[in-house]
Amino acid sequence: MQPIGKYIIIIGVVIVVIGLIVWLAGDKLGWFGNLPGDIRVERESFKFYMPITSMILVSILLSLLLWIFKRLF
């Protein structure tokens, strides 16, 4: 059970680092979520937003980070 504790701590640290980046550089990340391919429909009483391109970018970055993490450990 001890390796699980290490992984939980590492995941927590990663979440804190991502939170700090978003908090400190939030105004510089305005382009994220407004990429070409993100679907946005706004009507009088209806709003729909599907960030397809943004989520593909997040998926690629997370896959790359997990691949690097797996290679190092």
Side-chain angles (χ1 to χ4, degrees), residues 56-70:
I56 290 172
L57 182 63
V58 167
S59 176
I60 291 169
L61 290 174
L62 284 177
S63 296
L64 180 65
L65 287 174
L66 289 173
W67 179 78
I68 292 171
F69 183 75
K70 191 169 91 171

Side-chain angles (χ1 to χ4, degrees), residues 19-31:
L20 285 173
I21 290 170
V22 170
W23 182 47
L24 295 173
D27 56 341
K28 294 176 181 67
L29 296 174
W31 58 270

Side-chain angles (χ1 to χ4, degrees), residues 3-62:
I4 293 174
K6 288 181 186 178
Y7 293 137
I8 291 173
I9 291 173
I10 290 171
I11 291 170
V13 168
V14 169
I15 290 172
V16 167
V17 168
I18 291 171
L20 285 173
I21 290 170
V22 170
W23 182 47
L24 295 173
D27 56 341
K28 294 176 181 67
L29 296 174
W31 58 270
F32 187 74
N34 295 318
L35 296 172
D38 291 344
I39 299 171
R40 181 182 308 232
V41 178
E42 295 183 17
R43 305 268 195 253
E44 287 180 19
S45 61
F46 177 76
K47 290 184 182 182
F48 177 76
Y49 178 65
M50 182 180 254
I52 295 173
T53 308
S54 299
M55 291 301 103
I56 290 172
L57 182 63
V58 167
S59 176
I60 291 169
L61 290 174
L62 284 177

